[in-house]
Amino acid sequence: DADVTQTPRNRITKTGKRIMLECSQTKGHDRMYWYRQDPGLGLRLIYYSFDVKDINKGEISDGYSVSRQAQAKFSLSLESAIPNQTALYFCATSGLHQQGTGELFFGEGSRLTVL
Amino acid sequence: GDSVTQMEGPVTLSEEAFLTINCTYTATGYPSLFWYVQYPGEGLQLLLKATKADDKGSNKGFEATYRKETTSFHLEKGSVQVSDSAVYFCALSLNSGYSTLTFGKGTMLLVSP
């Protein structure tokens, strides 16, 4: 089983719908991240959390919100999806041994299509 | 702000050819540098890293040297295989416990038999 699990892996929805992408991890890491990947743009950071009570905006947080329900769970929500939020979304984690080095562990991605 | 610039792809090579993917960076401090690889349909995984100037990271036949004087971290492999076909991302992180990764846009590598 994957150490970082994302659900759903694929989702097609319509403009205006609320969508939640979920991430859970079994690595025991305290830090979790949500990135979005678009062709030609690489990965861009949406939100990150350094522990359960810590939430930080990344470079493209507008239109998104997150919830850190537990150390192992970090959810990304789109309150009212729009077509330009069509992308591949990745959850990632890092832990104590990776602090200061930036090494991340990624899930397999959630492909979201907004029609 | 901090940024990473990679050569645009796709890079198309024949098996056993030599590979270079260029990466340069701009950072306010002294970052750690990374190469991540994304195989088709998968998430990113760390390929190699270097945490200070003149360090060489290596893994699976790939290597990259942290060049502070040219702010570069070029990825090289002497003989590529079809199985190396993937998207390669250069990234940096400032050496702080509160830093996050900044990625380049990625370079697709296609290796033909």
Side-chain angles (χ1 to χ4, degrees), chain A residues 9 31 33 35 37-38 40-45 48 50 88 90 99-109, chain B residues 32 34 36 38 41-46 49 51 87 89 93-101 103-106:
Chain A
R9 295 291 312 280
R31 299 183 174 195
Y33 309 77
Y35 283 88
Q37 182 180 19
D38 297 276
L41 295 178
L43 272 78
R44 293 179 291 169
L45 184 61
Y48 60 104
F50 282 170
L88 183 57
F90 285 102
Q99 284 183 23
T101 68
E103 180 179 350
L104 300 181
F105 296 84
F106 283 81
E108 295 182 322
Chain B
S32 291
F34 305 81
Y36 279 81
Q38 182 182 28
E42 299 183 10
L44 282 72
Q45 55 186 277
L46 181 66
K49 66 180 181 182
T51 58
V87 181
F89 292 90
S93 175
L94 294 181
N95 287 318
S96 161
Y98 299 95
S99 64
T100 59
L101 272 179
F103 286 91
K105 295 183 178 180

Side-chain angles (χ1 to χ4, degrees), chain B residues 23-70:
Chain B
C23 170
T24 57
Y25 68 90
T26 302
T28 52
Y30 298 98
S32 291
L33 301 173
F34 305 81
W35 278 101
Y36 279 81
V37 59
Q38 182 182 28
Y39 297 106
E42 299 183 10
L44 282 72
Q45 55 186 277
L46 181 66
L47 179 60
L48 55 84
K49 66 180 181 182
T51 58
K52 61 184 187 297
D54 300 325
D55 271 1
K56 177 183 285 187
S58 61
N59 187 24
K60 300 181 180 180
F62 292 89
E63 59 182 34
T65 301
Y66 188 142
R67 301 288 189 198
K68 181 182 173 183
E69 63 276 12
T70 54

Side-chain angles (χ1 to χ4, degrees), chain A residues 10 15 21-22 29 43 59-60 70 78 87 92 96 110 112-113 115:
Chain A
N10 288 283
T15 296
L21 305 180
E22 299 186 346
H29 288 167
L43 272 78
E59 62 178 298
I60 55 162
L78 289 68
L96 181 64
S110 296
L112 177 64
T113 302
L115 303 176

